[in-house]
Amino acid sequence: MVEIDRNILVLGVGNILFTDEGVGVRLVERLQAEYDFSENVTLMDGGTLGTRLMDPIMACKYLVVVDAVLGDGAPGSIYRLTGDDLRKSLAFKNSLHQTDLVDTLIYCDILGNRPEAVIVGIEPHDYKTMAVDLSNTIQARMPDLMAAVLAEVAKAGGSCTLKMKE
């Protein structure tokens, strides 16, 4: 049974300066613009903060990380990673956040306060070009990625409603 008062953190990570590597941050921005969430859900742009994210991660009970993932699928493939599969996320050799988030989760575990975590990721089309816009391939998949993240929030006991257009 899902605890209704669970503290859920949706954390978008990545470097927005390298096209699709910033997909996690871009998705969180879109969620903030389009939805109102229940009080037990927090949305956060984690960028490339790495170990500086320990406090918010340790404060939550359920963590949904949104990131670009190299998983051998076609660009735009969506993945759900848990447990040992978490290392597939943040797999970019030149990424500023490559090992930081994995290390942060390990440190939280050592301190005895690692939340249940899932990564909702997407196979990037382009993560090497310096550009702030997502590739057309990833932009086209954003509704599906958003639906996957919203499903994780709902499974964890959170809810959301579309914001009213003015």
Side-chain angles (χ1 to χ4, degrees):
M1 178 172 212
V2 174
E3 297 174 37
I4 300 303
D5 62 344
R6 285 182 93 161
N7 187 18
I8 304 160
L9 175 61
V10 178
L11 181 65
V13 295
N15 187 337
I16 62 169
L17 299 178
F18 287 97
T19 319
D20 296 340
E21 190 180 343
V23 67
V25 173
R26 296 303 185 204
L27 185 100
V28 165
E29 290 171 348
R30 189 163 163 183
L31 288 172
Q32 288 171 327
E34 296 180 19
Y35 290 89
D36 289 315
F37 287 83
S38 54
E39 289 184 20
N40 63 331
V41 178
T42 301
L43 299 168
M44 183 176 178
D45 168 357
T48 58
L49 293 175
T51 55
R52 290 173 282 188
L53 294 169
M54 279 186 74
D55 285 342
I57 290 173
M58 288 176 48
C60 75
K61 292 184 180 176
Y62 194 83
L63 174 65
V64 180
V65 178
V66 187
D67 196 10
V69 171
L70 294 177
D72 297 328
S77 296
I78 295 174
Y79 306 104
R80 181 182 190 274
L81 307 173
T82 59
D84 291 338
D85 288 336
L86 294 178
R87 289 199 178 273
K88 289 181 184 173
S89 176
L90 321 168
F92 304 105
K93 299 283 189 257
N94 297 320
S95 172
L96 293 174
H97 70 285
Q98 179 192 2
T99 59
D100 285 346
L101 186 58
V102 173
D103 289 344
T104 300
L105 290 173
I106 291 168
Y107 299 150
C108 291
D109 199 22
I110 290 169
L111 293 173
N113 198 9
R114 178 180 170 177
E116 186 177 345
V118 60
I119 291 180
V120 178
I122 190 165
E123 187 84 35
H125 174 77
D126 177 2
Y127 59 92
K128 295 180 180 177
T129 303
M130 187 174 258
V132 295
D133 293 326
L134 297 173
S135 68
N136 290 336
T137 301
I138 301 307
Q139 285 182 23
R141 294 288 286 154
M142 287 296 273
D144 297 319
L145 185 62
M146 189 178 314
V149 170
L150 293 176
E152 292 297 332
V153 168
K155 280 186 216 173
S159 64
C160 65
T161 55
L162 272 171
K163 288 185 178 182
M164 299 298 284
K165 297 207 181 215
E166 295 177 13

